[in-house]
Amino acid sequence: MTVSLRVDSADPTPPYEQLRRQLAGLIRTGTLASGTRLPTVRQLAQDLGLAPGTVMRTYRELESDGLVASRRVQGTVVTGAVVAMDQRLAVLAANFVEEAGRLGAGPAEIRAAVDVALSRG
């Protein structure tokens, strides 16, 4: 992994959440591809000057979000499952907005149509 992560001690956001947001963003944008091994808890904690428990909590949160998987031999690995879903949702949304625009719908009508669809399940 060759991306730069940092934790700002002046930021009121807890360090684990700062780290989680950065890693989640890198995974969702594809910067960290599926199969990429993250540093060990101990290594990342040392690199960032954090307690190992802070990094462990970050990894647990990412795992519960489906962004990484912890494996005994391989360590913590990016799964990429959410990236694919986010990309599919973005394409579906763009297609819907384009088609609705062709019908003459504006942003308010488009949002209302999505809200109705969501309420129907």
Side-chain angles (χ1 to χ4, degrees):
M1 188 176 99
T2 59
V3 296
S4 177
L5 301 170
R6 68 180 195 86
V7 175
D8 181 359
S9 60
D11 187 335
T13 306
Y16 81 90
E17 180 59 18
Q18 291 182 46
L19 190 55
R20 187 202 65 76
R21 284 182 189 166
Q22 290 174 62
L23 286 167
L26 292 167
I27 293 167
R28 287 190 171 112
T29 61
T31 302
L32 290 178
S34 181
T36 301
R37 285 182 58 192
L38 298 182
T40 65
V41 168
R42 188 169 288 154
Q43 183 62 56
L44 189 55
Q46 182 178 349
D47 291 349
L48 297 175
L50 299 172
T54 300
V55 175
M56 194 175 303
R57 181 168 181 186
T58 298
Y59 283 5
R60 275 196 313 262
E61 299 266 337
L62 291 169
E63 189 166 20
S64 71
D65 290 342
L67 296 171
V68 301
S70 295
R71 301 176 181 140
R72 281 195 182 262
V73 176
Q74 295 177 326
T76 303
V77 180
V78 174
T79 61
V82 173
V83 173
M85 182 182 72
D86 284 352
Q87 289 171 345
R88 287 192 307 252
L89 287 174
V91 169
L92 288 170
N95 289 340
F96 175 73
V97 168
E98 183 179 332
E99 188 63 30
R102 284 190 196 122
L103 296 173
E109 291 91 0
I110 294 169
R111 284 188 192 94
V114 170
D115 287 341
V116 168
L118 287 171
S119 70
R120 292 182 182 162

